[in-house]
Amino acid sequence: GENVEQHPSTLSVQEGDSAVIKCTYSDSASNYFPWYKQELGKRPQLIIDIRSNVGEKKDQRIAVTLNKTAKHFSLHITETQPEDSAVYFCAASNPGGFKTIFGAGTRLFVKA
Amino acid sequence: NAGVMQNPRHLVRRRGQEARLRCSPMKGHSHVYWYRQLPEEGLKFMVYLQKENIIDESGMPKERFSAEFPKEGPSILRIQQVVRGDSAAYFCASSQDRGPNTEAFFGQGTRLTVV
């Protein structure tokens, strides 16, 4: 079945450093890749997404890259801040858009 | 727009009891998705519903779990004869349509504890 692998499971960085989270997906038909941030005890919230016809997208300190050939995509956070500390989930959605498969999550710690 | 509303936020049930989780999608959204999040784990797809229809329930356990999204009222996730392993956070998300690239908005979740 469809699967999304996410690495690392835990990431600790110093404030101001960059953080990179990587995901691979198995369903070659996937064409939409959202990233969610989940703070402790709260709901997942969409922070950025990318479609399959785009290789890179940037929004302020956050960027996402997609390599469809290799079936992997990455989240890059630059100039990290303590408030970036959270669990980040990547996801892949099939063309029907109704079965979004999530990665296991990356717990990011940003140390002040 | 109040967003996706889930209730209750916390639910405690004894083993063998029934749990009913409710989800009211965002206004104008007719697509509802349920996900389960075990402690320290990711979000697992359970079921996708449109009004009065189950579209994909491939993530639902075959027994004890059921979901509905009636014409009127919220979507309900029902767990019969709960066991300790059902303890988790259950998130509902809704979207306006099912086209590709459609953002889904999540509710606050219901944290079910089975004692």
Side-chain angles (χ1 to χ4, degrees):
Chain A
E2 304 94 331
N3 190 40
V4 175
E5 299 280 344
Q6 183 171 348
H7 300 280
S9 57
T10 306
L11 179 59
S12 185
V13 300
Q14 204 67 37
E15 182 179 2
D17 288 349
S18 295
V20 180
I21 302 170
K22 298 181 180 181
C23 290
T24 59
Y25 60 98
S26 61
D27 185 355
S28 55
S30 298
N31 63 351
Y32 175 59
F33 307 91
W35 286 86
Y36 287 85
K37 175 183 179 182
Q38 186 179 28
E39 297 176 7
L40 189 62
K42 297 188 177 180
R43 77 184 86 188
Q45 292 197 300
L46 181 74
I47 54 171
I48 195 168
D49 55 16
I50 190 166
R51 278 90 173 145
S52 59
N53 58 344
V54 175
E56 184 174 352
K57 182 177 178 180
K58 190 172 182 181
D59 182 4
Q60 299 183 336
R61 297 185 298 107
I62 295 174
V64 59
T65 59
L66 171 65
N67 183 328
K68 282 214 74 180
T69 303
K71 290 193 285 188
H72 67 69
F73 55 114
S74 302
L75 178 72
H76 304 251
I77 307 174
T78 58
E79 299 171 26
T80 53
Q81 302 166 2
E83 50 266 38
D84 294 330
S85 297
V87 178
Y88 291 80
F89 292 99
C90 64
S93 181
N94 63 15
F98 59 85
K99 192 172 179 179
T100 301
I101 307 298
F102 285 80
T106 296
R107 192 171 299 276
L108 174 65
F109 297 96
V110 180
K111 295 176 286 187
Chain B
N1 194 331
V4 179
M5 302 300 291
Q6 287 187 251
N7 68 83
R9 291 289 306 278
H10 300 275
L11 182 61
V12 180
R13 283 288 177 266
R14 294 187 186 279
R15 280 178 295 172
Q17 290 185 320
E18 178 180 288
R20 291 170 71 87
L21 289 61
R22 296 173 185 78
C23 170
S24 296
M26 284 180 70
K27 187 177 181 181
H29 287 190
S30 59
H31 303 257
V32 166
Y33 317 80
W34 285 93
Y35 290 86
R36 175 163 63 176
Q37 186 176 34
L38 295 170
E40 304 295 317
E41 292 191 13
L43 294 152
K44 302 294 185 187
F45 170 81
M46 297 182 74
V47 61
Y48 161 55
L49 311 103
Q50 290 184 39
K51 284 285 187 181
E52 301 184 275
N53 288 304
I54 296 174
I55 306 302
D56 184 340
E57 56 181 348
S58 58
M60 288 271 276
K62 293 289 185 287
E63 298 177 348
R64 303 189 297 109
F65 285 71
S66 62
E68 63 176 6
F69 189 15
K71 188 176 180 182
E72 301 291 336
S75 174
I76 306 286
L77 179 67
R78 183 181 176 206
I79 311 172
Q80 295 178 292
Q81 300 173 337
V82 296
V83 300
R84 287 236 171 93
D86 296 333
S87 296
Y90 292 82
F91 285 94
C92 164
S94 74
S95 67
Q96 194 166 31
D97 57 48
R98 61 175 277 182
N101 320 318
T102 300
E103 180 181 351
F105 294 84
F106 280 86
Q108 294 276 30
T110 293
R111 278 153 187 80
L112 172 65
T113 302
V114 180
V115 296

PDB file of all heavy atoms in Angstrom, chain B residues 33-52:
ATOM      1  N   TYR B  33     -12.652  13.731   6.856  1.00  0.00           N
ATOM      2  CA  TYR B  33     -11.644  12.673   6.995  1.00  0.00           C
ATOM      3  C   TYR B  33     -11.387  12.468   8.489  1.00  0.00           C
ATOM      4  O   TYR B  33     -11.313  13.429   9.244  1.00  0.00           O
ATOM      5  CB  TYR B  33     -10.322  13.098   6.337  1.00  0.00           C
ATOM      6  CG  TYR B  33     -10.487  13.774   4.997  1.00  0.00           C
ATOM      7  CD1 TYR B  33     -10.837  15.115   4.914  1.00  0.00           C
ATOM      8  CD2 TYR B  33     -10.286  13.075   3.818  1.00  0.00           C
ATOM      9  CE1 TYR B  33     -10.988  15.747   3.694  1.00  0.00           C
ATOM     10  CE2 TYR B  33     -10.431  13.698   2.590  1.00  0.00           C
ATOM     11  CZ  TYR B  33     -10.784  15.031   2.531  1.00  0.00           C
ATOM     12  OH  TYR B  33     -10.932  15.648   1.317  1.00  0.00           O
ATOM     13  N   TRP B  34     -11.224  11.226   8.876  1.00  0.00           N
ATOM     14  CA  TRP B  34     -10.852  10.914  10.265  1.00  0.00           C
ATOM     15  C   TRP B  34      -9.474  10.291  10.287  1.00  0.00           C
ATOM     16  O   TRP B  34      -9.147   9.412   9.460  1.00  0.00           O
ATOM     17  CB  TRP B  34     -11.860   9.942  10.885  1.00  0.00           C
ATOM     18  CG  TRP B  34     -13.177  10.550  11.262  1.00  0.00           C
ATOM     19  CD1 TRP B  34     -14.310  10.608  10.513  1.00  0.00           C
ATOM     20  CD2 TRP B  34     -13.504  11.176  12.509  1.00  0.00           C
ATOM     21  NE1 TRP B  34     -15.317  11.220  11.209  1.00  0.00           N
ATOM     22  CE2 TRP B  34     -14.860  11.576  12.435  1.00  0.00           C
ATOM     23  CE3 TRP B  34     -12.800  11.419  13.701  1.00  0.00           C
ATOM     24  CZ2 TRP B  34     -15.520  12.226  13.489  1.00  0.00           C
ATOM     25  CZ3 TRP B  34     -13.456  12.055  14.739  1.00  0.00           C
ATOM     26  CH2 TRP B  34     -14.788  12.446  14.623  1.00  0.00           C
ATOM     27  N   TYR B  35      -8.679  10.750  11.251  1.00  0.00           N
ATOM     28  CA  TYR B  35      -7.341  10.221  11.452  1.00  0.00           C
ATOM     29  C   TYR B  35      -7.172   9.846  12.917  1.00  0.00           C
ATOM     30  O   TYR B  35      -7.739  10.474  13.809  1.00  0.00           O
ATOM     31  CB  TYR B  35      -6.272  11.268  11.098  1.00  0.00           C
ATOM     32  CG  TYR B  35      -6.169  11.570   9.625  1.00  0.00           C
ATOM     33  CD1 TYR B  35      -6.997  12.518   9.035  1.00  0.00           C
ATOM     34  CD2 TYR B  35      -5.245  10.909   8.822  1.00  0.00           C
ATOM     35  CE1 TYR B  35      -6.915  12.790   7.674  1.00  0.00           C
ATOM     36  CE2 TYR B  35      -5.149  11.182   7.458  1.00  0.00           C
ATOM     37  CZ  TYR B  35      -5.985  12.118   6.901  1.00  0.00           C
ATOM     38  OH  TYR B  35      -5.891  12.382   5.554  1.00  0.00           O
ATOM     39  N   ARG B  36      -6.335   8.852  13.157  1.00  0.00           N
ATOM     40  CA  ARG B  36      -6.024   8.458  14.530  1.00  0.00           C
ATOM     41  C   ARG B  36      -4.546   8.717  14.779  1.00  0.00           C
ATOM     42  O   ARG B  36      -3.699   8.417  13.928  1.00  0.00           O
ATOM     43  CB  ARG B  36      -6.340   6.977  14.747  1.00  0.00           C
ATOM     44  CG  ARG B  36      -5.929   6.471  16.130  1.00  0.00           C
ATOM     45  CD  ARG B  36      -6.582   5.170  16.499  1.00  0.00           C
ATOM     46  NE  ARG B  36      -6.216   4.072  15.625  1.00  0.00           N
ATOM     47  CZ  ARG B  36      -6.618   2.820  15.829  1.00  0.00           C
ATOM     48  NH1 ARG B  36      -7.384   2.522  16.863  1.00  0.00           N
ATOM     49  NH2 ARG B  36      -6.261   1.868  14.996  1.00  0.00           N
ATOM     50  N   GLN B  37      -4.255   9.272  15.927  1.00  0.00           N
ATOM     51  CA  GLN B  37      -2.869   9.534  16.295  1.00  0.00           C
ATOM     52  C   GLN B  37      -2.588   8.868  17.626  1.00  0.00           C
ATOM     53  O   GLN B  37      -3.081   9.320  18.664  1.00  0.00           O
ATOM     54  CB  GLN B  37      -2.598  11.036  16.370  1.00  0.00           C
ATOM     55  CG  GLN B  37      -1.125  11.366  16.606  1.00  0.00           C
ATOM     56  CD  GLN B  37      -0.869  12.870  16.584  1.00  0.00           C
ATOM     57  OE1 GLN B  37      -1.699  13.667  16.999  1.00  0.00           O
ATOM     58  NE2 GLN B  37       0.304  13.259  16.095  1.00  0.00           N
ATOM     59  N   LEU B  38      -1.790   7.815  17.587  1.00  0.00           N
ATOM     60  CA  LEU B  38      -1.369   7.158  18.813  1.00  0.00           C
ATOM     61  C   LEU B  38      -0.285   7.997  19.472  1.00  0.00           C
ATOM     62  O   LEU B  38       0.399   8.776  18.789  1.00  0.00           O
ATOM     63  CB  LEU B  38      -0.855   5.748  18.514  1.00  0.00           C
ATOM     64  CG  LEU B  38      -1.915   4.783  17.974  1.00  0.00           C
ATOM     65  CD1 LEU B  38      -1.277   3.504  17.481  1.00  0.00           C
ATOM     66  CD2 LEU B  38      -2.949   4.485  19.042  1.00  0.00           C
ATOM     67  N   PRO B  39      -0.100   7.865  20.763  1.00  0.00           N
ATOM     68  CA  PRO B  39       0.911   8.667  21.448  1.00  0.00           C
ATOM     69  C   PRO B  39       2.278   8.553  20.785  1.00  0.00           C
ATOM     70  O   PRO B  39       2.744   7.457  20.480  1.00  0.00           O
ATOM     71  CB  PRO B  39       0.917   8.071  22.857  1.00  0.00           C
ATOM     72  CG  PRO B  39      -0.448   7.515  23.039  1.00  0.00           C
ATOM     73  CD  PRO B  39      -0.852   7.010  21.690  1.00  0.00           C
ATOM     74  N   GLU B  40       2.890   9.669  20.556  1.00  0.00           N
ATOM     75  CA  GLU B  40       4.232   9.738  19.976  1.00  0.00           C
ATOM     76  C   GLU B  40       4.284   9.184  18.545  1.00  0.00           C
ATOM     77  O   GLU B  40       5.359   8.855  18.047  1.00  0.00           O
ATOM     78  CB  GLU B  40       5.247   8.971  20.842  1.00  0.00           C
ATOM     79  CG  GLU B  40       5.293   9.429  22.293  1.00  0.00           C
ATOM     80  CD  GLU B  40       5.783  10.846  22.461  1.00  0.00           C
ATOM     81  OE1 GLU B  40       6.768  11.214  21.787  1.00  0.00           O
ATOM     82  OE2 GLU B  40       5.193  11.609  23.238  1.00  0.00           O
ATOM     83  N   GLU B  41       3.175   9.100  17.874  1.00  0.00           N
ATOM     84  CA  GLU B  41       3.177   8.589  16.504  1.00  0.00           C
ATOM     85  C   GLU B  41       2.517   9.573  15.544  1.00  0.00           C
ATOM     86  O   GLU B  41       2.011  10.611  15.934  1.00  0.00           O
ATOM     87  CB  GLU B  41       2.473   7.231  16.450  1.00  0.00           C
ATOM     88  CG  GLU B  41       3.235   6.133  17.168  1.00  0.00           C
ATOM     89  CD  GLU B  41       2.655   4.767  16.884  1.00  0.00           C
ATOM     90  OE1 GLU B  41       1.839   4.633  15.959  1.00  0.00           O
ATOM     91  OE2 GLU B  41       3.021   3.832  17.618  1.00  0.00           O
ATOM     92  N   GLY B  42       2.539   9.210  14.263  1.00  0.00           N
ATOM     93  CA  GLY B  42       1.965  10.074  13.241  1.00  0.00           C
ATOM     94  C   GLY B  42       0.468   9.886  13.095  1.00  0.00           C
ATOM     95  O   GLY B  42      -0.170   9.173  13.855  1.00  0.00           O
ATOM     96  N   LEU B  43      -0.073  10.533  12.096  1.00  0.00           N
ATOM     97  CA  LEU B  43      -1.504  10.486  11.817  1.00  0.00           C
ATOM     98  C   LEU B  43      -1.803   9.349  10.851  1.00  0.00           C
ATOM     99  O   LEU B  43      -1.246   9.293   9.769  1.00  0.00           O
ATOM    100  CB  LEU B  43      -1.940  11.816  11.204  1.00  0.00           C
ATOM    101  CG  LEU B  43      -1.834  13.020  12.139  1.00  0.00           C
ATOM    102  CD1 LEU B  43      -1.611  14.290  11.353  1.00  0.00           C
ATOM    103  CD2 LEU B  43      -3.108  13.140  12.963  1.00  0.00           C
ATOM    104  N   LYS B  44      -2.705   8.474  11.265  1.00  0.00           N
ATOM    105  CA  LYS B  44      -3.080   7.345  10.414  1.00  0.00           C
ATOM    106  C   LYS B  44      -4.469   7.570   9.845  1.00  0.00           C
ATOM    107  O   LYS B  44      -5.428   7.785  10.587  1.00  0.00           O
ATOM    108  CB  LYS B  44      -3.072   6.033  11.225  1.00  0.00           C
ATOM    109  CG  LYS B  44      -1.744   5.712  11.867  1.00  0.00           C
ATOM    110  CD  LYS B  44      -0.676   5.419  10.853  1.00  0.00           C
ATOM    111  CE  LYS B  44       0.617   4.973  11.547  1.00  0.00           C
ATOM    112  NZ  LYS B  44       1.738   4.848  10.584  1.00  0.00           N
ATOM    113  N   PHE B  45      -4.567   7.498   8.534  1.00  0.00           N
ATOM    114  CA  PHE B  45      -5.855   7.657   7.867  1.00  0.00           C
ATOM    115  C   PHE B  45      -6.806   6.550   8.294  1.00  0.00           C
ATOM    116  O   PHE B  45      -6.434   5.376   8.350  1.00  0.00           O
ATOM    117  CB  PHE B  45      -5.653   7.625   6.353  1.00  0.00           C
ATOM    118  CG  PHE B  45      -6.926   7.535   5.559  1.00  0.00           C
ATOM    119  CD1 PHE B  45      -7.675   8.670   5.307  1.00  0.00           C
ATOM    120  CD2 PHE B  45      -7.379   6.321   5.084  1.00  0.00           C
ATOM    121  CE1 PHE B  45      -8.857   8.593   4.583  1.00  0.00           C
ATOM    122  CE2 PHE B  45      -8.552   6.230   4.352  1.00  0.00           C
ATOM    123  CZ  PHE B  45      -9.295   7.375   4.091  1.00  0.00           C
ATOM    124  N   MET B  46      -8.037   6.931   8.572  1.00  0.00           N
ATOM    125  CA  MET B  46      -9.043   5.938   8.928  1.00  0.00           C
ATOM    126  C   MET B  46     -10.140   5.853   7.863  1.00  0.00           C
ATOM    127  O   MET B  46     -10.383   4.802   7.290  1.00  0.00           O
ATOM    128  CB  MET B  46      -9.673   6.265  10.276  1.00  0.00           C
ATOM    129  CG  MET B  46      -8.706   6.247  11.432  1.00  0.00           C
ATOM    130  SD  MET B  46      -9.529   6.572  12.996  1.00  0.00           S
ATOM    131  CE  MET B  46     -10.388   5.022  13.258  1.00  0.00           C
ATOM    132  N   VAL B  47     -10.776   7.010   7.602  1.00  0.00           N
ATOM    133  CA  VAL B  47     -11.948   6.954   6.736  1.00  0.00           C
ATOM    134  C   VAL B  47     -12.178   8.327   6.120  1.00  0.00           C
ATOM    135  O   VAL B  47     -11.837   9.360   6.698  1.00  0.00           O
ATOM    136  CB  VAL B  47     -13.195   6.500   7.533  1.00  0.00           C
ATOM    137  CG1 VAL B  47     -13.514   7.487   8.660  1.00  0.00           C
ATOM    138  CG2 VAL B  47     -14.405   6.300   6.637  1.00  0.00           C
ATOM    139  N   TYR B  48     -12.746   8.292   4.909  1.00  0.00           N
ATOM    140  CA  TYR B  48     -13.115   9.520   4.192  1.00  0.00           C
ATOM    141  C   TYR B  48     -14.600   9.426   3.869  1.00  0.00           C
ATOM    142  O   TYR B  48     -15.069   8.427   3.322  1.00  0.00           O
ATOM    143  CB  TYR B  48     -12.267   9.646   2.939  1.00  0.00           C
ATOM    144  CG  TYR B  48     -12.821  10.580   1.883  1.00  0.00           C
ATOM    145  CD1 TYR B  48     -13.148  11.905   2.181  1.00  0.00           C
ATOM    146  CD2 TYR B  48     -12.980  10.146   0.571  1.00  0.00           C
ATOM    147  CE1 TYR B  48     -13.634  12.752   1.204  1.00  0.00           C
ATOM    148  CE2 TYR B  48     -13.459  10.986  -0.412  1.00  0.00           C
ATOM    149  CZ  TYR B  48     -13.783  12.285  -0.097  1.00  0.00           C
ATOM    150  OH  TYR B  48     -14.260  13.133  -1.067  1.00  0.00           O
ATOM    151  N   LEU B  49     -15.324  10.475   4.195  1.00  0.00           N
ATOM    152  CA  LEU B  49     -16.767  10.487   3.968  1.00  0.00           C
ATOM    153  C   LEU B  49     -17.192  11.768   3.267  1.00  0.00           C
ATOM    154  O   LEU B  49     -16.601  12.825   3.470  1.00  0.00           O
ATOM    155  CB  LEU B  49     -17.534  10.409   5.285  1.00  0.00           C
ATOM    156  CG  LEU B  49     -17.151   9.335   6.293  1.00  0.00           C
ATOM    157  CD1 LEU B  49     -16.333   9.945   7.421  1.00  0.00           C
ATOM    158  CD2 LEU B  49     -18.379   8.696   6.879  1.00  0.00           C
ATOM    159  N   GLN B  50     -18.211  11.643   2.462  1.00  0.00           N
ATOM    160  CA  GLN B  50     -18.969  12.783   2.003  1.00  0.00           C
ATOM    161  C   GLN B  50     -20.350  12.653   2.630  1.00  0.00           C
ATOM    162  O   GLN B  50     -20.658  11.642   3.231  1.00  0.00           O
ATOM    163  CB  GLN B  50     -19.061  12.782   0.488  1.00  0.00           C
ATOM    164  CG  GLN B  50     -17.755  13.094  -0.223  1.00  0.00           C
ATOM    165  CD  GLN B  50     -17.940  13.163  -1.714  1.00  0.00           C
ATOM    166  OE1 GLN B  50     -18.950  13.672  -2.200  1.00  0.00           O
ATOM    167  NE2 GLN B  50     -16.998  12.637  -2.466  1.00  0.00           N
ATOM    168  N   LYS B  51     -21.149  13.641   2.420  1.00  0.00           N
ATOM    169  CA  LYS B  51     -22.495  13.590   3.004  1.00  0.00           C
ATOM    170  C   LYS B  51     -23.201  12.291   2.626  1.00  0.00           C
ATOM    171  O   LYS B  51     -23.351  11.977   1.450  1.00  0.00           O
ATOM    172  CB  LYS B  51     -23.326  14.772   2.500  1.00  0.00           C
ATOM    173  CG  LYS B  51     -22.978  16.099   3.160  1.00  0.00           C
ATOM    174  CD  LYS B  51     -23.523  16.181   4.567  1.00  0.00           C
ATOM    175  CE  LYS B  51     -23.313  17.568   5.161  1.00  0.00           C
ATOM    176  NZ  LYS B  51     -23.830  17.662   6.545  1.00  0.00           N
ATOM    177  N   GLU B  52     -23.564  11.529   3.628  1.00  0.00           N
ATOM    178  CA  GLU B  52     -24.322  10.287   3.504  1.00  0.00           C
ATOM    179  C   GLU B  52     -23.566   9.161   2.806  1.00  0.00           C
ATOM    180  O   GLU B  52     -24.162   8.109   2.537  1.00  0.00           O
ATOM    181  CB  GLU B  52     -25.656  10.532   2.778  1.00  0.00           C
ATOM    182  CG  GLU B  52     -26.563  11.538   3.480  1.00  0.00           C
ATOM    183  CD  GLU B  52     -27.907  11.700   2.804  1.00  0.00           C
ATOM    184  OE1 GLU B  52     -27.999  12.506   1.855  1.00  0.00           O
ATOM    185  OE2 GLU B  52     -28.859  11.005   3.215  1.00  0.00           O
TER     186      GLU B  52
END
